[in-house]
């Protein structure tokens, strides 16, 4: 299972988008606090829509609480300071729990945490002048690379709601 870990996210809109992505891909969301907004906020629920009713989410007041819960868990850390690209890691085992941590929108993951886990740092390539991408976009990019390597287990790869042939059988509007 993919486990998305947010280290002290600051924007409820990003967190809501990430919640929605987690539900859509059957990922579990872990949020490390403290937070500057309420998980029950209107903004969060509006962005997450009705998807968040099905969300598997855990909250940890501190990073230390998260580490206590998963003391031996291998975690990957997304940071601009990494020297390996996210797609160079092998995430192909669909049975293995994969934890990927994303940092705060303003400051990222604390540098002391990154230094402790140097071999598990990964980056998203971008032009040298860019500092970062939007947090929810980063989560989607990395999560879908993991899913691609696993051949999208248990995810629909064709139209499931209206049927595979919906587009070709739909009557043309005049």
């Amino acid at each position: 299972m993919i486990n998305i870990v947010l280290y002290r996210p600051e924007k409820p809109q990003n967190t809501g988008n990430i919640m929605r992505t987690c539900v859509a891909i059957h990922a579990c969301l872990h949020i490390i606090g403290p937070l500057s907004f309420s998980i029950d906020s209107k903004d969060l629920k509006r962005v997450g829509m009705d998807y968040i009713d099905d969300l598997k989410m855990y909250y940890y007041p501190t990073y230390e609480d998260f580490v206590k819960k998963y003391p031996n868990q291998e975690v990957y850390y997304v940071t601009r300071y990494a020297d390996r690209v996210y797609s160079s890691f092998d995430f192909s085992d669909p049975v293995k729990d994969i934890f990927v941590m994303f940092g705060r929108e303003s400051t990222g993951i604390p540098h002391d945490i990154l230094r402790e886990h140097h071999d598990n740092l990964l980056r998203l390539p971008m032009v040298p002048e860019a500092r970062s991408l939007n947090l929810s976009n980063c989560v989607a990019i990395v999560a879908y690379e993991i899913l691609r390597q696993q051949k999208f287990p248990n995810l629909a790869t064709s139209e499931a709601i209206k049927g595979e042939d919906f587009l070709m059988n739909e009557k043309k509007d005049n």
Side-chain angles (χ1 to χ4, degrees):
M1 169 176 266
I2 298 174
N3 292 270
I4 302 299
V5 183
L6 301 181
Y7 179 86
R8 300 187 61 196
E10 299 167 305
K11 299 182 190 255
Q13 296 84 354
N14 280 336
T15 303
N17 284 332
I18 293 164
M19 290 173 149
R20 187 172 175 180
T21 298
C22 286
V23 171
I25 64 173
H26 296 292
C28 184
L29 180 61
H30 303 263
I31 298 177
I32 297 171
L35 298 176
S36 59
F37 60 89
S38 168
I39 289 181
D40 297 324
S41 77
K42 289 186 297 188
D43 290 337
L44 207 60
K45 291 187 179 190
R46 182 171 51 249
V47 175
M49 298 173 38
D50 57 342
Y51 285 81
I52 61 175
D53 294 339
D54 297 323
L55 177 66
K56 189 173 183 181
M57 182 180 77
Y58 301 95
Y59 177 78
Y60 310 89
T62 67
Y63 175 73
E64 292 73 25
D65 292 320
F66 171 77
V67 171
K68 280 182 200 169
K69 175 78 174 172
Y70 300 99
N72 300 313
Q73 180 63 51
E74 182 174 35
V75 179
Y76 297 90
Y77 303 83
V78 178
T79 175
R80 64 189 281 196
Y81 304 112
D83 53 13
R84 287 183 64 193
V85 175
Y86 69 99
S87 57
S88 69
F89 288 82
D90 181 6
F91 298 116
S92 60
D93 184 353
V95 178
K96 183 180 177 184
D97 278 338
I98 297 171
F99 283 71
V100 184
M101 184 180 293
F102 298 83
R104 303 186 81 184
E105 288 91 339
S106 64
T107 58
I109 299 168
H111 297 175
D112 57 331
I113 294 172
L114 298 176
R115 281 193 280 284
E116 283 180 43
H117 303 283
H118 188 265
D119 291 341
N120 285 4
L121 304 184
L122 54 95
R123 71 175 292 120
L124 281 81
M126 61 188 92
V127 298
E129 301 79 26
R131 288 189 315 272
S132 64
L133 295 169
N134 175 275
L135 179 62
S136 62
N137 291 340
C138 292
V139 169
I141 290 167
V142 173
Y144 269 89
E145 172 60 18
I146 295 167
L147 291 166
R148 183 195 67 76
Q149 289 185 26
Q150 296 176 357
K151 303 190 181 344
F152 304 103
N154 303 313
L155 299 182
T157 55
S158 62
E159 173 53 47
I161 296 172
K162 293 186 177 186
E164 289 184 31
D165 297 328
F166 171 77
L167 186 61
M168 300 312 290
N169 294 329
E170 182 182 32
K171 293 182 183 180
K172 292 183 179 179
D173 293 333
N174 291 332

